[in-house]
Amino acid sequence: MVTREDQPRTLIFVDMLGFAELTRRNPTRVLEWGPDQHGFTGSGTTELQGRVVRFHHLVDSVLSSQTACGGVSAQVFSDCAYIDVTTSLRALHVAADLMRASIMLDVPVRVGLGRGTYYAFKYSVENTGTDVVTKALFAGTAVVNAHSAEQCGGK
């Protein structure tokens, strides 16, 4: 007998492409330069920060749009996210929205959908002085299937 907790769900996995190489090419968040021949100095953020900020903006935007459509659950990391919107039809629409937004914001991503079980065990942030531990404990066949589907796509 399938319990309510074991009902199949469709999970979305979105991954920003090229994160490792981008990080290697931009090992710092801010670049400083100068003085040049006129004595001017300056600083600016690298493409690493710009792309990460744009990625999280697109994920936040899509998640925000789903709160009025029946809720959303997400685990968002530095360059990827798992998103649960319960049904396959909603997941399809959210995945398409993610792809459109990523093209508009010039953030290369790959998306995979996976159907199966999904169990969210624990989410927590522990902040004690200078120590911070963030936990997102989750599992299920939808997690594995969404990740596997994302890996099958071309870059």
Side-chain angles (χ1 to χ4, degrees), residues 15 17 99 109-113 146-155:
D15 184 45
L17 296 175
M99 289 303 294
V109 299
R110 197 166 45 196
V111 177
L113 300 176
H147 183 268
S148 294
E150 181 271 337
Q151 293 291 303
C152 291
K155 289 190 176 188

Side-chain angles (χ1 to χ4, degrees), residues 130-146:
T130 59
D131 300 328
V132 177
V133 177
T134 304
K135 295 180 183 178
L137 307 177
F138 57 97
T141 57
V143 175
V144 174
N145 294 340

Side-chain angles (χ1 to χ4, degrees), residues 9 65-73 84-86 90:
R9 304 173 82 80
S65 73
Q66 290 304 305
T67 59
C69 298
V72 63
S73 169
D84 175 27
V85 291
T86 310
R90 277 184 67 201

Side-chain angles (χ1 to χ4, degrees), residues 72-92:
V72 63
S73 169
Q75 294 73 46
V76 183
F77 304 99
S78 62
D79 71 327
C80 67
Y82 285 93
I83 303 169
D84 175 27
V85 291
T86 310
T87 69
S88 296
L89 183 59
R90 277 184 67 201
L92 177 67

